[in-house]
Amino acid sequence: GAGVSQSPSNKVTEKGKDVELRCDPISGHTALYWYRQSLGQGLEFLIYFQGNSAPDKSGLPSDRFSAERTGGSVSTLTIQRTQQEDSAVYLCASDSRDTQYFGPGTRLTVL
Amino acid sequence: QKEVEQDPGPLSVPEGAIVSLNCTYSNSAFQYFMWYRQYSRKGPELLMYTYSSGNKEDGRFTAQVDKSSKYISLFIRDSQPSDSATYLCAMRRINTNAGKSTFGDGTTLTVKP
């Protein structure tokens, strides 16, 4: 596709359930990023992939959060045992040299 | 203390006004500076980026960087209602052409017709 796509666009879940968020980066982009944006806040870095490896996982807030990338393309962010404070918009971006292109985000609501 | 501080706003201006959006930073390792625009319920969209101190102009937008003061600004001339959005500054280290960006918290701008 022409841009970064993310699915689902919205996810409502109950506290304690696991969720998977998907990102399809722009074809050919080797770098992929996950950020989190809480209401009225800037973007909080979560994890960065170069190819299939993750040289920087420093932003993952707890061991309930994990991410993988396969085939140097699609990435999945998994949140286990979701908590209400996990409610936010999760944004994915892919990188062409100096420019990060963002997807529309997944709005996660944990009840 | 956050590495990047952004003037919080919100800002409300009449159509045609000049808008100034500002960020300061504390980490001198930041060498690459960006401004993003984010419409409601959309992902951020890159407006401008620059490596150098000084001004960079693109149409009605001018990005200004002062590395000695660790201060960056975005100016919007002849503002339009379509400029109403949240503006985010972001920066990262020069020695990575990939790698995380650090963002300000954003300034919400409303341009009234």
Side-chain angles (χ1 to χ4, degrees):
Chain A
V4 178
S5 60
Q6 293 186 245
S7 61
S9 55
N10 283 283
K11 177 70 177 179
V12 180
T13 190
E14 293 179 348
K15 178 181 173 181
K17 294 285 180 72
D18 298 351
V19 295
E20 283 190 353
L21 312 179
R22 177 187 167 107
C23 172
D24 281 271
I26 294 172
S27 178
H29 284 188
T30 57
L32 184 148
Y33 308 80
W34 285 97
Y35 292 87
R36 178 168 72 173
Q37 187 174 31
S38 301
L39 187 65
Q41 301 293 310
L43 276 68
E44 174 190 6
F45 169 77
L46 297 177
I47 187 169
Y48 150 58
F49 287 93
Q50 184 64 255
N52 290 337
S53 64
D56 189 350
K57 305 178 183 179
S58 63
L60 294 177
S62 75
D63 60 7
R64 296 186 296 104
F65 287 73
S66 63
E68 65 175 13
R69 189 180 185 194
T70 55
S73 182
V74 171
S75 177
T76 303
L77 177 70
T78 301
I79 309 173
Q80 296 178 310
R81 305 181 303 281
T82 51
Q83 303 294 312
Q84 288 183 333
E85 61 262 30
D86 300 334
S87 297
V89 176
Y90 289 82
L91 289 157
C92 173
S94 68
D95 200 305
S96 169
R97 296 188 65 178
D98 300 329
T99 304
Q100 289 185 346
Y101 296 89
F102 281 86
T106 294
R107 184 173 298 273
L108 175 65
T109 303
V110 182
L111 301 177
Chain B
Q1 184 184 0
K2 291 184 178 180
E3 285 188 296
V4 179
E5 298 277 0
Q6 184 166 359
D7 287 354
L11 284 179
S12 181
V13 302
E15 184 174 356
I18 296 174
V19 177
S20 172
L21 304 164
N22 307 295
C23 290
T24 58
Y25 62 97
S26 57
N27 189 342
S28 59
F30 290 138
Q31 297 290 323
Y32 178 63
F33 306 95
M34 298 157 280
W35 285 96
Y36 285 84
R37 177 174 63 195
Q38 186 175 26
Y39 292 115
S40 182
R41 295 185 172 264
K42 301 287 188 182
E45 168 196 12
L46 182 67
L47 276 178
M48 298 187 70
Y49 67 89
T50 182
Y51 291 95
S52 307
S53 281
N55 295 347
K56 181 179 180 181
E57 191 173 318
D58 184 1
R60 296 185 295 109
F61 298 90
T62 299
Q64 185 177 83
V65 174
D66 182 345
K67 290 184 181 178
S68 62
S69 300
K70 297 189 179 67
Y71 189 92
I72 69 171
S73 296
L74 178 71
F75 298 97
I76 307 173
R77 289 184 300 281
D78 187 26
S79 55
Q80 302 296 308
S82 59
D83 295 327
S84 297
T86 296
Y87 290 80
L88 298 156
C89 65
M91 44 200 82
R92 61 185 184 184
R93 298 165 188 256
I94 192 78
N95 64 343
T96 56
N97 68 343
K100 68 178 181 181
S101 296
T102 301
F103 285 79
D105 285 347
T107 302
T108 299
L109 171 68
T110 301
V111 181
K112 296 184 175 179

